[in-house]
């Protein structure tokens, strides 16, 4: 069998990780914020090869330890990686079970959560419990294109490693050149409130999503009880991840604020409810509970907005 060679990893990041490892200052948990996903994953594997390499010049990429890392079958490396739309709480429970095991061939273990932006909110909450009790023999690497796609409480327990931020602006420019004129204002507003391009890239049909959000706003402001059904049957299937839900809530706030500036009836009540939703989300309130609260304060309760 021919030997695998690790290429296309980020040399600058890899060198910093090696330096930290040599000084015994590796963090217990990292976030690799990278638009170029494959490069970030290969950099995480580089770290694994360095941790387990048998030779003096690490990683040699030739010894049995390095080759098992590159072949994704090293017993002390655990990777969460799937082709599903989300990473759920079951995967995090499996990770927690693996954490209870001692290293098999080395002194440390490496855990990688690939495409961490796919974590559901329940999965993030389960992961938070793990991160709150770091283990000295464990290094965890999470990979996502944008740190804002994860809960702030998760981010506070990770050391950020940024890869390729210069690509972000060009991606935004490309997206703006493709959307309808009516959506450009919303796109720019989302960028201004911290939404990154790769959050939008999760949507298979972004323009359809924008259309449905605008329709939902119209229904809420007109107190159409069909808005709740519209959300459950049409909008909710479009926003399966925590990151996509974040885009949804920010889109609602942007459009509702525009309606308020236009002095539309009942817009003030909607904006006030969304402010409270944003506040509760920072405290990890379940997304479904946030939506129920929003509708209870708008559709299913008397408005206190402008007449």
């Amino acid at each position: 069998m021919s030997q695998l060679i690790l290429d296309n990893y980020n040399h600058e990041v890899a060198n910093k990780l090696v330096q930290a490892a040599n000084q015994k200052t590796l963090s217990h948990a990292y976030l690799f914020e990278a638009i170029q996903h494959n490069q970030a994953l290969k950099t995480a594997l580089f770290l694994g090869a360095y941790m387990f390499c048998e030779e003096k010049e690490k990683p040699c990429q030739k010894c049995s330890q390095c080759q098992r890392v590159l072949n994704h079958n090293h017993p002390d490396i655990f990777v969460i990686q799937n082709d599903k739309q989300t990473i759920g709480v079951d995967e995090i429970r499996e990770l927690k079970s693996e954490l209870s095991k001692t290293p098999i061939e080395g002194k440390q273990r490496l855990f990688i959560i690939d495409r961490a932006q796919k974590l559901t909110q329940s999965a993030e909450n389960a992961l938070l419990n793990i991160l709150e009790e770091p283990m000295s023999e464990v290094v965890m690497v999470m990979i996502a294109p944008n740190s804002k796609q994860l809960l702030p409480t998760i981010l506070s327990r990770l050391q950020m490693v940024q890869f390729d931020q210069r690509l972000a602006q060009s991606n935004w420019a490309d997206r703006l050149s493709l959307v309808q004129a009516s959506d450009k204002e919303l796109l720019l507003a989302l960028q201004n409130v911290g939404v990154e391009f790769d959050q939008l890239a999760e949507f298979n049909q972004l323009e359809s999503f924008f259309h449905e959000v605008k329709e939902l706003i119209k229904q809420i402001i007109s107190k159409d009880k069909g808005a709740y059904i519209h959300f459950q049957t049409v909008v909710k299937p479009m926003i399966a991840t925590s990151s996509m839900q974040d885009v949804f809530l920010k889109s609602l706030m942007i459009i509702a604020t525009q309606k308020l500036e236009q002095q539309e009836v009942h817009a003030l009540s909607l904006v006030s409810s969304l402010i409270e939703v944003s506040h509760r989300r920072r405290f990890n309130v379940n997304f479904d509970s946030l939506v129920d609260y929003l509708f209870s304060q708008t559709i299913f309760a008397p408005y206190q907005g402008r007449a």
Side-chain angles (χ1 to χ4, degrees):
M1 181 183 296
S2 61
Q3 289 187 328
L4 294 179
I5 299 296
L6 189 62
D7 57 3
N8 196 34
Y9 61 90
N10 188 303
H11 290 261
E12 180 181 356
V13 172
N15 289 337
K16 290 180 179 179
L17 292 170
V18 167
Q19 183 179 15
N22 288 337
Q23 296 174 351
K24 301 187 184 304
T25 57
L26 274 177
S27 174
H28 75 278
Y30 290 95
L31 172 63
F32 285 5
E33 186 181 45
I35 295 172
Q36 294 178 311
H37 159 264
N38 287 334
Q39 185 186 68
L41 179 58
K42 289 184 177 182
T43 305
L45 292 176
F46 176 95
L47 174 61
Y50 182 87
M51 290 169 61
F52 302 115
C53 182
E54 300 169 332
E55 303 298 326
K56 290 184 178 180
E57 295 294 328
K58 305 176 186 289
C60 70
Q61 302 193 46
K62 298 178 181 179
C63 68
S64 62
Q65 295 284 352
C66 283
Q67 284 298 300
R68 281 195 289 175
V69 170
L70 301 186
N71 277 291
H72 299 266
N73 61 6
H74 194 285
D76 289 327
I77 296 181
F78 182 82
V79 182
I80 293 181
Q81 187 177 47
N82 65 44
D83 295 326
K84 297 185 294 184
Q85 193 171 25
T86 62
I87 297 173
V89 70
D90 288 342
E91 284 95 332
I92 301 304
R93 287 175 181 151
E94 184 181 1
L95 182 148
K96 185 175 182 179
S97 176
E98 286 291 325
L99 279 168
S100 66
K101 302 175 183 178
T102 57
I104 295 175
E105 298 190 8
K107 296 180 180 179
Q108 289 183 296
R109 299 194 70 195
L110 176 63
F111 289 76
I112 301 171
I113 302 179
D114 189 22
R115 301 187 189 276
Q117 73 273 15
K118 298 198 298 182
L119 287 163
T120 64
Q121 188 165 348
S122 296
E124 286 192 86
N125 288 332
L127 181 62
L128 180 61
N129 293 330
I130 295 172
L131 293 173
E132 287 174 340
E133 300 178 1
M135 303 171 66
S136 59
E137 69 273 18
V138 168
V139 176
M140 184 178 296
V141 174
M142 299 172 63
I143 300 171
N146 178 13
S147 62
K148 295 182 178 66
Q149 294 170 295
L150 300 173
L151 292 174
T153 45
I154 293 284
L155 293 177
S156 67
R157 290 162 175 81
L158 303 175
Q159 181 171 324
M160 181 85 68
V161 179
Q162 294 181 315
F163 277 62
D164 41 27
Q165 300 307 302
R166 287 178 295 178
L167 292 175
Q169 292 302 320
S170 61
N171 283 333
W172 272 101
D174 290 342
R175 170 58 77 175
L176 282 168
S177 68
L178 295 174
V179 300
Q180 300 178 16
S182 59
D183 289 333
K184 286 186 178 181
E185 184 179 357
L186 179 54
L187 267 177
L188 289 170
L190 286 169
Q191 185 182 24
N192 289 336
V193 296
V195 172
E196 296 290 343
F197 173 81
D198 279 271
Q199 285 183 268
L200 301 179
E202 292 188 56
F203 292 88
N204 292 328
Q205 296 180 320
L206 183 62
E207 287 74 15
S208 295
F209 167 72
F210 284 163
H211 171 76
E212 297 303 339
V213 171
K214 291 174 183 177
E215 287 299 310
L216 183 65
I217 287 280
K218 290 179 183 178
Q219 291 174 317
I220 292 175
I221 288 180
S222 64
K223 295 196 69 176
D224 180 355
K225 289 183 172 60
Y228 187 75
I229 297 174
H230 179 75
F231 170 78
Q232 292 291 342
T233 59
V234 178
V235 179
K236 188 176 180 180
M238 293 180 166
I239 51 174
T241 68
S242 176
S243 171
M244 298 166 89
Q245 291 160 6
D246 180 61
V247 174
F248 167 70
L249 291 174
K250 287 178 177 177
S251 298
L252 282 182
M253 177 61 83
I254 290 167
I255 299 171
T257 302
Q258 292 171 346
K259 299 295 184 183
L260 179 60
E261 292 171 350
Q262 296 164 7
Q263 298 188 343
E264 290 205 19
V265 176
H266 308 318
L268 177 59
S269 176
L270 177 56
V271 170
S272 298
S273 298
L274 286 168
I275 290 172
E276 178 61 22
V277 165
S278 178
H279 173 74
R280 295 186 181 197
R281 185 165 173 80
R282 287 196 293 270
F283 289 91
N284 297 335
V285 175
N286 177 271
F287 178 74
D288 289 337
S289 298
L290 293 176
V291 171
D292 288 343
Y293 170 81
L294 177 63
F295 281 104
S296 73
Q297 298 300 305
T298 54
I299 296 297
F300 302 115
Y303 280 99
Q304 302 297 322
R306 296 177 181 176

